[in-house]
């Protein structure tokens, strides 16, 4: 060092000392310092953090250093809330710096608001390894409570350190469970010994309790032992403590017993199999004898040996025209239900040539016919006695009187309810007018006189027949006494009574038919037929009236008037013909309105008034008035108006729709096809039938506009317009062109009607 440099140093030292000893001319206040620091922070020239009291500043780098120091002091784990209190800095600032530390340093993690470093994680791994070595197994769920850390973090930590810091093995069945090799080997040896010692099906819950093994490792150990074929058995059922361990020796002995018993006896009892530990005997038998033709009954499974024996006995009884009781041929374990089921199964192979009685007796048709024939003489004698004594006619007369009085009471009680129902059914939306009348009317009338009339006629016949069947011409006791004379039948319990109950209706009907033939000249028969026909008309009118009330009130009168002039007129004409016959009046075949008016002048007063009312109601537009007058008019002619049966509505409408579809598919007339299709669409959309003419088609199409797809409605409207245009066209060329287009579009119209749902 030169002399000049040393002098320079001395001079600087003197200046420094002078500056220290001299007093400052200007000083900054605390407020000025705060403002300067604030300005520097705003201009981003200074990056500092405030303490909670606002009196100190600290840089983020320094905060990060202090956080790391505190983390070290606290053993590698500290809460961010605790850091905020210790460092006197806002929690949000602490969280921000902590996130930066986690982002820039691999050894740091923020878990549930706590900062953890690598040393703590290593420490946890070592502690877990110690626990694993001590207990042989650990579960992540237990560690969650101990360390207050999430399962995912602990799971990933253990899996990462497995084979390094932590020496163990992860359970294949439950990923949260870990074992040591020694623990698994110890439990495997214990379980192997226990399973090898078991000789009968044992619940797993018992095995787990005896071996003190957790359910979590049980199934993984069993799977390993089964793969190595070190245990003589299988686990049955789903994995769980309610499953069973079934040893092979038990299965083998069980199968041998089942096969030997079945081979010797030809059947297997479900209760016996259940006592052997089989939970589902029928399915067990199916699996064990897949190639056997086994019949499964209520309590036993029967093989071909027994079924063929029963089959042979029944065939012998059929060939000899006798009967057979199978109970003596079957083992005592068979219940009556089993015997009946066995007979039903065998009976299917015999083309229904037999009948089963008392669940164990099979009788051939030939035997039953011989029994029936032996009683025919008795039935004929009883029938002649009933007719000769007047009992037959008296019964029918009493039944007719009872039917009339009962219907009268029912109608009186239901009058107000029926009125409310009719009012509620009216006033529904609809519209449209104009149109053309087609031949559909005659087709519908044919249907009404066919299927619809048959339906009501059958009901009336059944009503009259019920009155006849109340008359027991052949008593049950007579038949039982005759059957009991046969010792072979009397010896079987309950057979006589059951057989008598089977034969008595047939014999009684036979006697009734004979009595009916003897009394075939009775006038009641013709009256009943007329009554049937008129009740069919009333039922049809009520059903069609319900359909009319689906459309708007403005369009209802036209349809109502048409219904009354067609079906209503036919009803009234039939009544007037009957009244003329009953009162010895001449009536022409073709009865017109004027004819009816003249006939009324010659009828008695008690008949004239009700017939006059029904006659006038046809010319009006009120179905309710017509129906109200119908009962009195029928009563004046000694007829009964039946109670309206709503159950007939759906079958009638369904049959009516089917008849319309059949006619639609067979017709090539465009106007008629449109008429039929419109009626079918109305039924499909409202579930009600409608009786209309061709002039009402446009009205119904307007009503259907809100119920059908726009494309479907457009097709129908276009076709309707073409039909009208064809009817009004005068030019032959134009008419021919329209006809061709109608024929082309006819298929689409039929498809719409056939496919509507």
């Amino acid at each position: 060092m030169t002399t000049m440099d040393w002098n320079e140093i001395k001079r600087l030292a003197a200046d420094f000392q002078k500056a220290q000893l001299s007093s400052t001319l200007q000083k900054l206040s605390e407020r000025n310092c705060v403002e300067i620091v604030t300005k520097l922070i705003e201009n981003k020239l200074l990056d500092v953090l405030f303490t909670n009291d606002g009196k100190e500043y600290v840089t983020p780098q320094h905060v990060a250093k202090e956080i790391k120091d505190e983390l070290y002091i606290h053993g590698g784990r500290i809460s961010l809330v605790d850091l905020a209190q210790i460092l006197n800095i806002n929690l949000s600032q602490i969280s921000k710096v902590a996130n930066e530390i986690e982002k820039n340093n691999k050894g740091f993690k923020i878990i549930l608001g706590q900062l953890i470093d690598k040393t703590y994680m290593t420490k946890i791994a070592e502690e877990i390894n110690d626990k694993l070595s001590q207990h042989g197994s650990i579960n992540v769920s237990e560690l969650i409570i101990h360390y207050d850390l999430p399962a995912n973090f602990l799971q990933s930590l253990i899996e990462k350190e497995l084979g390094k810091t932590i020496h163990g093995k992860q359970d294949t069945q439950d990923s949260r469970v870990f074992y040591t090799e020694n623990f698994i080997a110890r439990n495997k040896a214990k379980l192997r010994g226990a399973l090898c010692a078991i000789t009968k099906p044992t619940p797993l819950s018992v095995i787990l309790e005896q071996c003190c093994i957790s359910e979590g490792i049980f199934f993984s150990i069993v799977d390993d032992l089964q793969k190595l074929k070190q245990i003589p058995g299988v686990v049955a059922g789903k994995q769980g403590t309610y499953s069973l361990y079934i040893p092979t020796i038990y299965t083998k002995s069980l199968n041998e017993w089942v096969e030997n018993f079945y081979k010797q006896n030809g059947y297997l009892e479900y209760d016996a199999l259940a006592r052997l530990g089989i939970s589902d005997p029928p399915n067990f038998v199916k699996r064990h004898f897949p190639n056997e033709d086994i019949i499964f009954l209520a309590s036993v499974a029967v093989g071909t040996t027994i079924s063929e024996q029963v089959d042979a006995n029944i065939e012998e009884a059929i060939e000899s025209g006798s009967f057979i009781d199978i109970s003596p041929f079957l083992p005592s374990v068979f219940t009556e239900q089993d015997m009946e089921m066995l007979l039903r199964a065998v009976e299917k192979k015999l083309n229904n040539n037999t009948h089963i009685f008392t669940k164990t007796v099979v009788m051939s048709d030939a035997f039953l016919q011989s029994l029936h024939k032996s009683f025919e003489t008795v039935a004929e004698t009883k029938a002649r006695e009933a007719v000769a004594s007047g009992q037959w006619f008296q019964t029918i007369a009493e039944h007719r009187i009872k039917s009339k009085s009962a219907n009268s009471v029912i109608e009186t009680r239901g009058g107000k309810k029926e009125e409310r129902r009719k009012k509620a059914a009216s006033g529904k939306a609809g519209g449209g007018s104009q149109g053309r009348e087609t031949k559909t009317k005659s087709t519908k009338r044919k249907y009404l006189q066919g299927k619809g009339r048959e339906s009501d006629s059958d009901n009336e016949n059944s009503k009259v027949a019920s009155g006849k069947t109340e008359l027991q011409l052949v008593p049950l006791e007579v038949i039982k006494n005759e059957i009991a004379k046969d010792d072979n039948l009397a010896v079987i319990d309950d057979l006589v009574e059951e057989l008598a109950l089977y034969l008595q209706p047939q014999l009684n009907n036979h006697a009734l038919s004979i009595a009916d033939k003897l009394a075939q000249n009775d006038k009641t028969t013709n009256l009943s037929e007329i009554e049937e026909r008129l009740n069919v008309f009333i039922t049809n009118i009520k059903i069609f009236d319900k359909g009319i009330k689906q459309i708007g009130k403005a369009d209802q009168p036209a349809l109502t008037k048409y219904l009354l002039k067609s079906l209503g007129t036919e009803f009234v004409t039939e009544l007037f013909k009957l009244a003329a016959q009953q009162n010895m009046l001449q009536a022409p075949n073709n009865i017109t309105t004027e004819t009816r008016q003249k006939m009324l002048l010659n009828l008695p007063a008690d008949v004239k008034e009700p017939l006059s009312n029904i006659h006038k109601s046809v010319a009006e537009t009120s179905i309710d008035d017509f129906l109200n007058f119908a009962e009195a008019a029928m009563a004046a002619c000694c007829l009964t108006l039946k109670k309206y049966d709503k159950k007939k509505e759906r079958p009638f409408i369904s049959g009516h729709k089917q008849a319309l579809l059949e006619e639609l598919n067979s017709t090539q007339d465009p106007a008629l096809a449109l008429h039929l299709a419109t009626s079918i669409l109305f039924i499909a959309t409202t579930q009600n039938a409608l009786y209309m003419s061709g002039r009402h088609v446009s009205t119904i199409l307007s009503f259907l506009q809100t119920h059908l797809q726009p494309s479907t409605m457009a097709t129908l409207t276009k076709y309707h317009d073409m039909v009208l245009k064809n009817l009004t066209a005068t030019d032959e060329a134009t008419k021919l062109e329209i006809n061709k287009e109608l024929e082309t579009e006819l298929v689409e119209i039929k498809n719409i009607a056939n496919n509507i749902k």
Side-chain angles (χ1 to χ4, degrees):
M1 183 181 291
T2 61
T3 306
M4 184 177 293
D5 292 336
W6 178 247
N7 292 332
E8 183 66 21
I9 290 171
K10 286 183 177 180
R11 188 178 61 79
L12 289 172
D15 291 341
F16 182 69
Q17 184 177 11
K18 183 178 178 181
Q20 286 180 327
L21 295 174
S22 62
S23 59
T24 304
L25 296 177
Q26 294 181 350
K27 291 185 179 180
L28 291 175
S29 64
E30 183 178 343
R31 181 176 179 180
N32 295 138
C33 291
V34 170
E35 291 176 352
I36 291 171
V37 172
T38 303
K39 192 68 175 177
L40 290 173
I41 292 172
E42 289 176 356
N43 294 330
K44 297 183 179 179
L45 298 175
L46 184 64
D47 185 13
V48 293
L49 303 174
F50 291 97
T51 58
N52 288 334
D53 54 11
K55 294 182 178 180
E56 297 179 357
Y57 304 102
V58 60
T59 63
Q61 294 79 8
H62 185 72
V63 172
K65 179 179 179 301
E66 289 188 345
I67 288 174
K68 291 178 181 179
D69 292 342
E70 291 296 332
L71 183 62
Y72 176 79
I73 293 171
H74 287 81
R77 176 180 177 180
I78 189 171
S79 171
L80 297 182
V81 176
D82 294 340
L83 280 173
Q85 294 177 352
I86 294 170
L87 300 180
N88 196 25
I89 297 175
N90 188 272
L91 178 60
S92 61
Q93 300 293 343
I94 293 294
S95 299
K96 183 177 179 181
V97 176
N99 288 328
E100 288 295 326
I101 293 173
E102 181 187 23
K103 182 178 179 181
N104 298 322
N105 298 272
K106 293 183 179 180
F108 293 86
K109 293 281 184 183
I110 297 178
I111 306 294
L112 298 178
Q114 301 177 79
L115 185 62
I116 299 173
D117 63 5
K118 188 174 183 180
T119 58
Y120 183 76
M121 287 186 276
T122 303
K123 177 184 174 184
I124 291 177
E126 291 174 352
E127 290 180 0
I128 291 173
N129 184 59
D130 292 341
K131 289 179 179 291
L132 184 59
S133 301
Q134 182 180 357
H135 300 287
S137 67
I138 56 169
N139 194 314
V140 173
S141 58
E142 298 173 356
L143 299 176
I144 293 172
I145 300 172
H146 183 268
Y147 289 106
D148 192 22
L149 290 172
N152 293 338
F153 172 75
L154 291 172
Q155 182 81 21
S156 61
L157 175 63
I158 296 173
E159 290 176 353
K160 183 178 179 182
E161 296 295 330
L162 201 62
K164 299 175 184 177
T165 307
I166 300 173
H167 304 288
K169 181 181 178 181
Q170 191 174 21
D171 188 2
T172 56
Q173 302 291 331
D174 188 353
S175 61
R176 292 194 172 194
V177 179
F178 298 87
Y179 310 102
T180 61
E181 293 291 343
N182 293 334
F183 179 81
I184 294 174
R186 185 168 64 252
N187 283 282
K188 184 181 289 186
K190 185 191 302 183
L191 193 56
R192 185 191 301 113
L195 296 179
C196 289
I198 294 174
T199 58
K200 65 178 182 179
T202 306
L204 297 187
S205 57
V206 176
I207 300 173
L208 294 174
E209 184 179 355
Q210 292 293 328
C211 296
C212 298
I213 298 176
S214 65
E215 184 180 347
I217 65 169
F218 175 82
F219 291 102
S220 61
I221 294 175
V222 169
D223 289 343
D224 292 341
L225 292 174
Q226 285 181 333
K227 289 177 182 178
L228 297 173
K229 298 181 179 180
Q230 294 182 356
I231 55 173
V234 293
V235 175
K238 296 181 180 179
Q239 290 190 359
T241 55
Y242 296 103
S243 301
L244 288 175
Y245 173 73
I246 303 176
T248 305
I249 187 173
Y250 172 81
T251 305
K252 184 178 179 181
S253 60
L254 174 64
N255 292 338
E256 289 178 355
W257 184 90
V258 170
E259 290 174 1
N260 292 334
F261 188 91
Y262 177 74
K263 192 173 182 180
Q264 294 173 6
N265 300 280
Y267 73 92
L268 289 169
E269 187 184 4
Y270 299 155
D271 287 345
L273 297 178
R275 288 193 293 270
L276 295 175
I278 298 172
S279 58
D280 190 355
N283 284 330
F284 172 81
V285 175
K286 286 180 183 178
R287 292 193 303 269
H288 200 75
F289 300 98
N291 300 321
E292 289 284 335
D293 186 12
I294 296 177
I295 301 174
F296 294 92
L297 307 179
S299 62
V300 293
V302 179
T304 55
T305 304
I306 293 179
S307 62
E308 288 176 356
Q309 182 184 1
V310 173
D311 195 354
N313 289 325
I314 294 175
E315 287 181 351
E316 183 180 351
I318 293 174
E319 291 175 0
S320 61
S322 59
F323 67 95
I324 183 71
D325 183 6
I326 67 166
S327 57
F329 303 103
L330 297 177
S332 59
V333 296
F334 279 63
T335 64
E336 288 187 352
Q337 186 179 2
D338 292 328
M339 297 179 193
E340 184 181 18
M341 291 176 68
L342 180 58
L343 288 179
R344 297 293 182 194
V346 175
E347 189 183 31
K348 293 178 181 178
K349 305 176 184 178
L350 303 176
N351 298 323
N352 295 324
N353 291 328
T354 59
H355 295 272
I356 299 173
F357 294 95
T358 66
K359 300 183 180 180
T360 63
V361 177
V362 181
M363 286 190 178
S364 63
D365 282 343
F367 183 79
L368 289 172
Q369 288 173 8
S370 65
L371 276 178
H372 186 278
K373 193 172 183 180
S374 65
F375 286 108
E376 286 182 357
T377 305
V378 177
E380 185 175 352
T381 302
K382 294 291 184 183
R384 291 184 180 279
E385 291 176 357
V387 174
S389 63
Q391 185 183 8
W392 169 262
F393 298 105
Q394 183 180 359
T395 302
I396 295 178
E398 289 176 355
H399 175 70
R400 179 172 289 278
I401 294 171
K402 288 179 182 178
S403 299
K404 288 184 178 181
S405 61
N407 287 339
S408 177
V409 172
I410 291 171
E411 291 295 331
T412 302
R413 291 178 179 176
K416 293 184 179 180
K417 183 178 180 181
E418 183 72 12
E419 184 179 352
R420 289 196 299 269
R421 183 191 66 78
K422 289 181 179 179
K423 288 182 179 179
S426 63
K428 295 188 178 179
S433 61
Q434 299 180 357
R436 170 181 175 271
E437 187 169 356
T438 68
K439 297 179 181 178
T440 308
K441 181 172 68 174
S442 61
T443 304
K444 286 188 177 182
R445 186 174 297 121
K446 183 190 294 183
Y447 168 73
L448 294 175
Q449 294 172 353
K451 295 181 179 179
R453 180 170 296 174
E454 287 175 5
S455 175
D456 281 354
S457 177
D458 290 343
N459 184 64
E460 177 62 21
N461 287 337
S462 65
K463 194 171 184 180
V464 174
S466 65
K468 296 177 182 178
T469 53
E470 290 176 2
L471 180 60
Q472 300 295 333
L473 298 183
V474 185
L476 184 64
E477 289 299 323
V478 173
I479 302 174
K480 286 169 65 175
N481 293 334
E482 290 294 326
I483 295 174
K485 294 177 181 179
D486 188 338
D487 294 336
N488 294 326
L489 296 174
V491 74
I492 302 174
D493 294 339
D494 301 328
L495 179 58
V496 172
E497 183 173 358
E498 200 168 316
L499 192 56
L501 288 171
Y502 174 80
L503 292 172
Q504 197 267 345
Q506 302 175 25
L507 293 170
N508 197 65
N509 288 335
H510 181 65
L512 291 172
S513 65
I514 294 174
D516 195 20
K517 289 178 182 178
L518 295 174
Q520 61 184 346
N521 294 325
D522 186 63
K523 296 180 180 180
T524 307
T525 304
N526 294 331
L527 199 62
S528 298
E529 291 177 359
I530 296 172
E531 186 175 272
E532 283 180 26
R533 213 156 43 243
L534 294 180
N535 273 286
V536 169
F537 276 117
I538 294 298
T539 300
N540 294 340
I541 289 171
K542 287 182 178 180
I543 292 175
F544 288 129
D545 179 52
K546 188 175 180 181
I548 291 173
K549 291 179 179 178
Q550 299 296 316
I551 65 174
K553 288 186 177 180
D555 299 314
Q556 290 180 15
L559 287 164
T560 301
K561 185 176 181 180
Y562 178 72
L563 179 61
L564 287 174
K565 281 194 173 183
S566 52
L567 298 186
T569 300
E570 290 184 30
F571 174 85
V572 173
T573 299
E574 193 81 16
L575 266 181
F576 270 77
K577 285 182 179 180
L578 178 61
Q581 291 176 3
Q582 292 176 342
N583 294 278
M584 306 297 290
L585 297 177
Q586 293 292 332
N589 293 329
N590 184 21
I591 298 180
T592 62
T593 304
E594 292 76 12
T595 306
R596 292 199 301 268
Q597 192 68 39
K598 291 178 181 179
M599 290 174 63
L600 287 171
L601 299 175
N602 299 319
L603 290 173
D606 58 338
V607 179
K608 180 179 179 180
E609 183 178 355
L611 288 185
S612 177
N613 291 333
I614 196 73
H615 164 71
K616 293 177 182 177
S617 66
V618 172
E620 299 176 358
T621 57
S622 174
I623 297 292
D624 291 343
D625 290 345
F626 176 83
L627 295 175
N628 289 335
F629 292 137
E631 183 179 7
M634 289 180 67
C637 297
C638 301
L639 301 177
T640 302
L641 179 62
K642 300 176 187 175
K643 181 183 177 182
Y644 181 65
D645 188 1
K646 289 186 178 181
K647 294 180 180 178
K648 291 184 180 180
E649 285 187 11
R650 189 172 296 275
F652 172 86
I653 294 171
S654 177
H656 184 59
K657 180 182 176 184
Q658 189 61 36
L660 294 176
L661 283 171
E662 290 175 3
E663 185 180 3
L664 173 64
N665 293 327
S666 62
T667 187
Q668 295 299 322
D669 183 357
L672 178 59
L674 179 63
H675 188 169
L676 295 170
T678 304
S679 298
I680 293 167
L681 293 173
F682 182 85
I683 293 173
T685 55
T686 65
Q687 303 302 311
N688 286 280
L690 195 65
Y691 194 77
M692 66 176 187
S693 68
R695 64 170 59 92
H696 301 124
V697 170
S698 59
T699 300
I700 304 307
L701 286 177
S702 299
F703 168 77
L704 294 174
Q705 191 168 4
T706 58
H707 296 80
L708 300 177
Q709 295 290 337
S711 59
T712 303
M713 200 62 217
T715 302
L716 293 170
T717 304
K718 179 182 175 183
Y719 199 81
H720 176 261
D721 294 342
M722 286 193 295
V723 170
L724 291 179
K725 189 175 180 182
N726 183 47
L727 294 173
T728 56
T730 56
D731 185 17
E732 290 297 328
T734 304
K735 201 166 186 177
L736 183 61
E737 183 181 350
I738 295 173
N739 275 328
K740 289 182 180 180
E741 190 173 356
L742 286 171
E743 290 176 2
T744 304
E745 297 293 331
L746 183 59
V747 176
E748 179 63 23
I749 297 300
K750 290 183 177 181
N751 289 337
I752 290 173
N754 280 286
N755 298 328
I756 188 67
K757 295 183 180 178

